[in-house]
Amino acid sequence: MSALQTNWDARAALNFMCGGTGAGLLVATALTQPAQARWAIVLALALVGSGLAAVWLELGKPLRALHVFFNPFTSWMARESLAALALFGLGIAALFEPALVFAAAAAAAVFVFCQARMLQGGKGIPAWRARETLPLLLATSLAEGAGLCLLFATDEVALALFVTAVLARALAWSGYCAAVKSPALAAAGRVLLQFGTGAALALLIAGALLPQALPLAGLIAAAAGWYLKFALVTRASLKQGFALPRLPVRGAR
């Protein structure tokens, strides 16, 4: 009988939720160059920091957190931690030298990639190990970041990036659903498509008449992505267990 994994709880999910959104916001900021780029960078760093702090609180012995840096050649978690250091260093530097936002965005992209590979490394959990998990998490993080970017910029570039990211996420979700059958993700998937995609794009169109609808569209898209990630980490993490396709048969004497 399958059982949920118990190593990662809601605090671990927060790392994927906040960290992915913050990294996506850094990438979106580099691509759109909003007038309030500094505030966007501050929010992005705060989100990534919140996610990492949640994971730190999950540890039974938080002082052992430094051990995560010891195995970058074999551990995606160690690579994620190193990418986070680069992300914070370059992100803080970008507050004083705007051109460095592109380097911070590159570190953010590596950070999200490491997160996705870390989750995908859970080979005993079918909902995590699928190849489609990687593009789903990458697209989700970018859609969330592009959504929050609408809080700082609503020009044509920002809107185009948001539409592209949201549609890419819906496509990645369709590919994931075709490969993985997880009833635990059904509700989150409906929210992603109906609200995070359909309602968000409808609000984007309504924004032509009511500009206040644009930030709301971004927030809804980000919230739908958070719901999906939370469900993926905490509710869809059923362990496969053992499988014996052939049973030994003792020969007759």
Side-chain angles (χ1 to χ4, degrees):
M1 182 174 63
S2 299
L4 289 173
Q5 60 82 30
T6 57
N7 293 320
W8 286 358
D9 57 17
R11 290 167 292 185
L14 280 173
N15 185 35
F16 291 93
M17 294 158 63
C18 297
T21 301
L25 179 55
L26 266 179
V27 173
T29 300
L31 295 175
T32 59
Q33 295 290 306
Q36 302 180 33
R38 284 189 175 183
W39 288 112
I41 294 172
V42 169
L43 177 57
L45 295 178
L47 285 169
V48 175
S50 298
L52 294 174
V55 172
W56 181 75
L57 291 174
E58 185 186 24
L59 297 175
K61 296 182 178 180
L63 292 180
R64 290 187 176 181
L66 293 177
H67 292 183
V68 75
F69 296 104
F70 294 165
N71 298 301
F73 297 105
T74 58
S75 169
W76 283 106
M77 186 176 292
R79 295 164 190 165
E80 179 208 28
S81 301
L82 293 174
L85 288 179
L87 185 158
F88 273 102
L90 292 168
I92 293 173
L95 295 174
F96 304 96
E97 178 52 60
L100 289 175
V101 70
F102 294 100
V110 173
F111 175 79
V112 173
F113 181 82
C114 292
Q115 275 197 338
R117 289 300 304 271
M118 186 169 61
L119 190 68
Q120 195 180 33
K123 300 301 183 183
I125 301 175
W128 292 1
R129 70 187 182 206
R131 291 182 301 174
E132 291 76 11
T133 302
L134 178 61
L136 176 62
L137 288 182
L138 294 178
T140 302
S141 296
L142 181 58
E144 294 163 5
L148 291 192
C149 191
L150 294 182
L151 299 174
F152 306 97
T154 55
D155 57 14
E156 293 181 357
V157 176
L159 296 179
L161 176 63
F162 177 71
V163 172
T164 302
V166 167
L167 292 178
R169 181 176 66 180
L171 183 62
W173 170 247
S174 298
Y176 179 86
C177 288
V180 179
K181 307 300 181 184
S182 176
L185 294 176
R190 288 193 296 270
V191 170
L192 186 76
L193 294 178
Q194 295 174 7
F195 292 93
T197 306
L201 294 179
L203 284 171
L204 199 70
I205 297 173
L209 299 176
L210 187 64
Q212 293 83 353
L214 296 178
L216 181 59
L219 291 174
I220 289 177
W226 279 27
Y227 183 32
L228 177 65
K229 288 180 179 178
F230 183 84
L232 180 61
V233 174
T234 63
R235 299 176 185 172
S237 56
L238 285 169
K239 295 180 288 186
Q240 183 177 16
F242 294 101
L244 296 175
R246 295 183 180 180
L247 296 177
V249 177
R250 180 176 296 177
R253 293 182 178 179

